[in-house]
Amino acid sequence: MSAPDVWADMRRLVLEVSDPHRAVVAATGESFFRTKVLRRLLDGPLSAGELTEQLGSDPPYLSITLRDLEARGHLVRTEDPFDRRRRVVALTDSGRELARIANDVLRTPPAALSALNEADLATLARILSSLVDDSAASA
């Protein structure tokens, strides 16, 4: 089996078999992008510019999404107390709950992974850690 074959199987397991985007949408009733915005705010308020940068999003699209999330009661936008020209985005209780649900769904492994025995999980963990470390070192 070649590296492209293994990569194809990994992608299929993560993106198709488990389909985390669909699972998050089903659990929250919100689009994956909306929950991604909410999840970014779990650590604390950010400006729209900071969110745009962190998400790699188009500013007008993020602005529409923020207005929508605010209208749904999941976040609030307020004036930055240190810079009146800037707006700060923060979660409401409902936004925090949706972000928590989305994170819980994303942390749930596919059934096939959960079914692996301890030795196979340890081997897979060792290999994945090595791949992640190698990728981080070359980035």
Side-chain angles (χ1 to χ4, degrees), residues 11-100:
R11 279 193 350 263
R12 186 167 171 261
L13 174 64
V14 172
L15 299 176
E16 295 172 22
V17 173
S18 71
D19 197 353
H21 290 193
R22 183 177 42 84
V24 165
V25 170
T28 64
E30 295 290 349
S31 75
F32 188 80
F33 184 73
R34 285 188 201 119
T35 61
K36 188 174 180 180
V37 170
L38 297 174
R39 290 173 42 240
R40 288 291 170 146
L41 293 168
L42 273 173
D43 290 334
L46 295 170
S47 71
E50 291 167 328
L51 273 171
T52 298
E53 185 177 309
Q54 287 187 18
L55 295 167
S57 178
D58 181 50
Y61 182 66
L62 180 63
S63 181
I64 291 166
T65 302
L66 292 176
R67 277 197 306 271
D68 183 55
L69 287 168
E70 186 174 35
R72 294 168 186 249
H74 302 315
L75 59 81
V76 292
R77 293 187 288 178
T78 58
E79 185 178 277
D80 184 329
F82 303 107
D83 182 351
R84 291 184 182 170
R85 297 167 297 171
R86 219 170 79 136
R87 306 280 289 167
V88 176
V89 183
L91 293 174
T92 63
D93 288 342
S94 68
R96 192 171 289 98
E97 179 64 12
L98 283 177
R100 186 196 61 73

